[in-house]
Amino acid sequence: EVHEDSSCCCRYTLHSTRELKLGVFPPTNGRNPGLRFSEGWPQDQDPMLLMYRPFRCSVPCCCYMPWPQELILFDGTTQETRGRVVQDWRWWNCFWPCERFMNAYDERDNHILTIYTPFFCGGRNGCENCCAPTCFNHVHRSFVFRERGGQARTLDEARRANPDGYIEVHWPGWNARGLCLQNSGAENWVVKFPNHQESSSKEKVLTLGAWALSNFMFWETRKNQKR
């Protein structure tokens, strides 16, 4: 289970850009099946993974992003830094926002993963995420790449290379979840870790951080509330 700790002021004034903490906890023992989870931040246990997202005023200035979005990961028990995920704003995003990047770094600031997210007419095959996730296109995919050379992956490389993992948002279908929760801001996520059989705990932690930052940057919005 993932629980959030943030102030009421931040939630209602900053919305999806708010400062917050996310804790990844073991599932609640004996919880009811369905969509019910324990509420609030658990006071009697430490999270397995702690994610801290500081507030960033991510407004581009002359095609440069002074304060990109960032999420920092900590060990929930020892509070040691496990890594961070940072928005990789590129100058051409001012003119072509349909393809976005994020970079994931370990505790020593080594570049470990690149996350490539196409929208609308962008993508590896052109418009592959257009209208996703809906009944017209069921799955929206972000692509996760391992980085071994330390260099930022170019757009052409991201379009051509075989991904090592995926972060997916799935359309729930014409069911109770899809119909009753369509205005709640809830999504169906699937995280496929880089080469699951061989991926390290570090890569899994960073991929979870990329999932969380992707959610706040791209998906957390409600029809009855401004972003």
Side-chain angles (χ1 to χ4, degrees):
E1 295 182 8
V2 179
H3 294 267
E4 176 182 338
D5 182 15
S6 59
S7 69
C8 179
C9 179
C10 283
R11 288 194 298 273
Y12 282 94
T13 58
L14 300 176
H15 303 307
S16 62
T17 62
R18 65 190 179 274
E19 178 183 10
L20 55 82
K21 290 192 301 182
L22 293 177
V24 180
F25 294 87
T28 303
N29 292 330
R31 67 176 177 84
N32 294 328
L35 301 177
R36 297 185 60 187
F37 294 86
S38 59
E39 298 180 354
W41 188 274
Q43 300 298 320
D44 56 347
Q45 60 179 323
D46 293 323
M48 298 181 292
L49 178 66
L50 180 64
M51 310 180 195
Y52 170 64
R53 186 201 185 198
F55 169 70
R56 293 286 187 268
C57 183
S58 298
V59 178
C61 178
C62 298
C63 299
Y64 171 69
M65 182 67 74
W67 302 285
Q69 292 293 305
E70 181 179 18
L71 188 137
I72 307 169
L73 302 138
F74 300 91
D75 185 283
T77 303
T78 65
Q79 303 298 309
E80 294 179 351
T81 302
R82 298 293 302 274
R84 62 191 182 99
V85 183
V86 184
Q87 176 188 15
D88 183 10
W89 178 267
R90 307 192 179 187
W91 68 267
W92 44 262
N93 281 140
C94 284
F95 311 99
W96 179 252
C98 297
E99 294 174 278
R100 312 284 189 89
F101 285 88
M102 291 188 293
N103 296 329
Y105 303 90
D106 66 9
E107 69 279 3
R108 297 183 179 179
D109 227 26
N110 296 314
H111 188 181
I112 304 299
L113 300 174
T114 293
I115 298 86
Y116 165 61
T117 305
F119 291 96
F120 306 114
C121 293
R124 299 157 61 86
N125 300 315
C127 300
E128 61 185 309
N129 279 336
C130 185
C131 299
T134 65
C135 58
F136 300 104
N137 190 356
H138 292 184
V139 181
H140 183 285
R141 289 186 177 88
S142 295
F143 304 93
V144 181
F145 301 97
R146 281 191 174 106
E147 297 297 346
R148 296 181 175 86
Q151 299 292 326
R153 190 175 290 264
T154 66
L155 178 59
D156 185 63
E157 290 173 340
R159 287 174 173 174
R160 295 175 180 272
N162 292 324
D164 297 295
Y166 301 90
I167 300 173
E168 300 177 345
V169 187
H170 287 241
W171 180 61
W174 298 109
N175 51 32
R177 182 175 179 84
L179 296 176
C180 298
L181 297 181
Q182 61 180 337
N183 198 43
S184 69
E187 284 86 30
N188 291 328
W189 290 93
V190 174
V191 178
K192 299 178 181 179
F193 297 108
N195 195 356
H196 179 66
Q197 298 299 325
E198 301 177 2
S199 59
S200 64
S201 61
K202 178 186 299 183
E203 290 176 332
K204 293 179 179 180
V205 164
L206 292 175
T207 305
L208 283 177
W211 154 75
L213 190 58
S214 295
N215 180 41
F216 289 109
M217 286 178 58
F218 306 134
W219 299 103
E220 185 172 289
T221 181
R222 289 166 174 78
K223 295 178 182 179
N224 60 354
Q225 174 180 300
K226 295 180 180 179
R227 283 187 65 90

